[in-house]
Amino acid sequence: MNPRTLLASTILAALVAALVHTQRYDGYFTDPVGLFRWYAACWVLFVLALLALRRVPVAGVVPLVLAEAVAVAVTGLVAPPRTSTDSYRYAWDGRVQSAGISPYDHTPQDPALAWLRDEWLFPTGPSCNGPGRAPVPHDDAGTPHCTRINRPAVHTIYPPVAEAYFLAVDRLSPDGARHKPLQTGGALISLGVTGALGSV
């Protein structure tokens, strides 16, 4: 292998390893500074990879970029999302639509949709003590009720095309799949964009 190609491949491999560690590092609430450092390290490796790729022979660039695109997309599947709770809303909006209800008509905490709740999106009892939980009004005043969905008293803000995607993911997902179908869909869309750009 050409030494320049080997150098670029090594940096790209280091980037993937750093991304996997960062994705698995659960420091958003417990160690935000440490998590920031890992993100910074990923960006440094990304810049180094770009600089190294500029020295790779043209014939070797496209295979490296495509391989890295696949590897980076896969890193997004190694753990649930850590730095955002938005995917809980995506899953909820898809579930509401699958039940034949417009996601624009009700907020997540609306009692009219209580029959769609489960322990994943709407924990009860001690599970409500964790970070990223919002309290939800409930008749059972003796037991804490909460949700992982952010801003449960606010109607969804996502436009119709996004809502169609949430519905498609929900319809294609097995029961109890949770985050993984949304993450897989995101990875496939990312790879599709990479492929489209590569064909230009």
PDB file of all heavy atoms in Angstrom, residues 133-146:
ATOM      1  N   ARG A 133     -35.678  13.669  32.405  1.00  0.00           N
ATOM      2  CA  ARG A 133     -37.086  13.294  32.582  1.00  0.00           C
ATOM      3  C   ARG A 133     -37.909  14.552  32.851  1.00  0.00           C
ATOM      4  O   ARG A 133     -37.481  15.439  33.577  1.00  0.00           O
ATOM      5  CB  ARG A 133     -37.280  12.335  33.756  1.00  0.00           C
ATOM      6  CG  ARG A 133     -36.341  11.147  33.799  1.00  0.00           C
ATOM      7  CD  ARG A 133     -36.661  10.124  32.717  1.00  0.00           C
ATOM      8  NE  ARG A 133     -36.081   8.838  33.029  1.00  0.00           N
ATOM      9  CZ  ARG A 133     -34.857   8.454  32.688  1.00  0.00           C
ATOM     10  NH1 ARG A 133     -34.072   9.296  32.042  1.00  0.00           N
ATOM     11  NH2 ARG A 133     -34.402   7.252  32.985  1.00  0.00           N
ATOM     12  N   ALA A 134     -39.096  14.615  32.278  1.00  0.00           N
ATOM     13  CA  ALA A 134     -40.007  15.731  32.522  1.00  0.00           C
ATOM     14  C   ALA A 134     -41.254  15.187  33.207  1.00  0.00           C
ATOM     15  O   ALA A 134     -41.797  14.151  32.786  1.00  0.00           O
ATOM     16  CB  ALA A 134     -40.389  16.401  31.205  1.00  0.00           C
ATOM     17  N   PRO A 135     -41.710  15.839  34.280  1.00  0.00           N
ATOM     18  CA  PRO A 135     -42.906  15.350  34.969  1.00  0.00           C
ATOM     19  C   PRO A 135     -44.141  15.442  34.083  1.00  0.00           C
ATOM     20  O   PRO A 135     -44.268  16.340  33.252  1.00  0.00           O
ATOM     21  CB  PRO A 135     -43.022  16.272  36.183  1.00  0.00           C
ATOM     22  CG  PRO A 135     -42.239  17.476  35.831  1.00  0.00           C
ATOM     23  CD  PRO A 135     -41.164  17.054  34.889  1.00  0.00           C
ATOM     24  N   VAL A 136     -45.057  14.489  34.273  1.00  0.00           N
ATOM     25  CA  VAL A 136     -46.298  14.453  33.511  1.00  0.00           C
ATOM     26  C   VAL A 136     -47.459  14.385  34.492  1.00  0.00           C
ATOM     27  O   VAL A 136     -47.464  13.523  35.382  1.00  0.00           O
ATOM     28  CB  VAL A 136     -46.335  13.227  32.565  1.00  0.00           C
ATOM     29  CG1 VAL A 136     -47.697  13.096  31.890  1.00  0.00           C
ATOM     30  CG2 VAL A 136     -45.247  13.329  31.514  1.00  0.00           C
ATOM     31  N   PRO A 137     -48.446  15.280  34.353  1.00  0.00           N
ATOM     32  CA  PRO A 137     -49.600  15.222  35.249  1.00  0.00           C
ATOM     33  C   PRO A 137     -50.323  13.883  35.127  1.00  0.00           C
ATOM     34  O   PRO A 137     -50.432  13.315  34.038  1.00  0.00           O
ATOM     35  CB  PRO A 137     -50.500  16.363  34.749  1.00  0.00           C
ATOM     36  CG  PRO A 137     -49.601  17.253  33.965  1.00  0.00           C
ATOM     37  CD  PRO A 137     -48.538  16.366  33.389  1.00  0.00           C
ATOM     38  N   HIS A 138     -50.784  13.359  36.278  1.00  0.00           N
ATOM     39  CA  HIS A 138     -51.451  12.057  36.272  1.00  0.00           C
ATOM     40  C   HIS A 138     -52.394  11.958  37.457  1.00  0.00           C
ATOM     41  O   HIS A 138     -52.179  12.592  38.494  1.00  0.00           O
ATOM     42  CB  HIS A 138     -50.397  10.934  36.315  1.00  0.00           C
ATOM     43  CG  HIS A 138     -50.910   9.616  35.846  1.00  0.00           C
ATOM     44  ND1 HIS A 138     -51.567   8.733  36.679  1.00  0.00           N
ATOM     45  CD2 HIS A 138     -50.878   9.038  34.632  1.00  0.00           C
ATOM     46  CE1 HIS A 138     -51.901   7.654  35.981  1.00  0.00           C
ATOM     47  NE2 HIS A 138     -51.498   7.813  34.739  1.00  0.00           N
ATOM     48  N   ASP A 139     -53.454  11.169  37.297  1.00  0.00           N
ATOM     49  CA  ASP A 139     -54.436  11.003  38.376  1.00  0.00           C
ATOM     50  C   ASP A 139     -53.840  10.330  39.605  1.00  0.00           C
ATOM     51  O   ASP A 139     -54.259  10.578  40.731  1.00  0.00           O
ATOM     52  CB  ASP A 139     -55.642  10.177  37.880  1.00  0.00           C
ATOM     53  CG  ASP A 139     -56.433  10.920  36.816  1.00  0.00           C
ATOM     54  OD1 ASP A 139     -56.315  12.161  36.768  1.00  0.00           O
ATOM     55  OD2 ASP A 139     -57.147  10.275  36.036  1.00  0.00           O
ATOM     56  N   ASP A 140     -52.863   9.441  39.376  1.00  0.00           N
ATOM     57  CA  ASP A 140     -52.243   8.705  40.478  1.00  0.00           C
ATOM     58  C   ASP A 140     -51.193   9.599  41.141  1.00  0.00           C
ATOM     59  O   ASP A 140     -50.009   9.563  40.815  1.00  0.00           O
ATOM     60  CB  ASP A 140     -51.606   7.419  39.947  1.00  0.00           C
ATOM     61  CG  ASP A 140     -50.981   6.581  41.049  1.00  0.00           C
ATOM     62  OD1 ASP A 140     -51.163   6.934  42.235  1.00  0.00           O
ATOM     63  OD2 ASP A 140     -50.311   5.588  40.729  1.00  0.00           O
ATOM     64  N   ALA A 141     -51.640  10.414  42.081  1.00  0.00           N
ATOM     65  CA  ALA A 141     -50.756  11.411  42.686  1.00  0.00           C
ATOM     66  C   ALA A 141     -49.666  10.792  43.556  1.00  0.00           C
ATOM     67  O   ALA A 141     -48.643  11.418  43.811  1.00  0.00           O
ATOM     68  CB  ALA A 141     -51.575  12.390  43.526  1.00  0.00           C
ATOM     69  N   GLY A 142     -49.830   9.552  43.989  1.00  0.00           N
ATOM     70  CA  GLY A 142     -48.853   8.938  44.871  1.00  0.00           C
ATOM     71  C   GLY A 142     -47.633   8.379  44.161  1.00  0.00           C
ATOM     72  O   GLY A 142     -46.639   8.070  44.799  1.00  0.00           O
ATOM     73  N   THR A 143     -47.696   8.225  42.844  1.00  0.00           N
ATOM     74  CA  THR A 143     -46.589   7.659  42.084  1.00  0.00           C
ATOM     75  C   THR A 143     -46.090   8.680  41.074  1.00  0.00           C
ATOM     76  O   THR A 143     -46.894   9.250  40.323  1.00  0.00           O
ATOM     77  CB  THR A 143     -47.039   6.386  41.331  1.00  0.00           C
ATOM     78  OG1 THR A 143     -47.553   5.454  42.269  1.00  0.00           O
ATOM     79  CG2 THR A 143     -45.890   5.768  40.564  1.00  0.00           C
ATOM     80  N   PRO A 144     -44.790   8.947  41.025  1.00  0.00           N
ATOM     81  CA  PRO A 144     -44.272   9.892  40.032  1.00  0.00           C
ATOM     82  C   PRO A 144     -44.503   9.374  38.609  1.00  0.00           C
ATOM     83  O   PRO A 144     -44.320   8.189  38.332  1.00  0.00           O
ATOM     84  CB  PRO A 144     -42.778   9.960  40.348  1.00  0.00           C
ATOM     85  CG  PRO A 144     -42.629   9.416  41.720  1.00  0.00           C
ATOM     86  CD  PRO A 144     -43.736   8.429  41.902  1.00  0.00           C
ATOM     87  N   HIS A 145     -44.935  10.243  37.755  1.00  0.00           N
ATOM     88  CA  HIS A 145     -45.085   9.938  36.335  1.00  0.00           C
ATOM     89  C   HIS A 145     -44.272  10.957  35.555  1.00  0.00           C
ATOM     90  O   HIS A 145     -44.283  12.150  35.875  1.00  0.00           O
ATOM     91  CB  HIS A 145     -46.552  10.009  35.920  1.00  0.00           C
ATOM     92  CG  HIS A 145     -47.374   8.874  36.430  1.00  0.00           C
ATOM     93  ND1 HIS A 145     -47.687   7.776  35.664  1.00  0.00           N
ATOM     94  CD2 HIS A 145     -47.930   8.654  37.646  1.00  0.00           C
ATOM     95  CE1 HIS A 145     -48.412   6.933  36.381  1.00  0.00           C
ATOM     96  NE2 HIS A 145     -48.581   7.447  37.588  1.00  0.00           N
ATOM     97  N   CYS A 146     -43.557  10.486  34.545  1.00  0.00           N
ATOM     98  CA  CYS A 146     -42.699  11.386  33.781  1.00  0.00           C
ATOM     99  C   CYS A 146     -42.581  10.887  32.351  1.00  0.00           C
ATOM    100  O   CYS A 146     -43.158   9.856  31.985  1.00  0.00           O
ATOM    101  CB  CYS A 146     -41.315  11.469  34.424  1.00  0.00           C
ATOM    102  SG  CYS A 146     -40.437   9.888  34.483  1.00  0.00           S
TER     103      CYS A 146
END
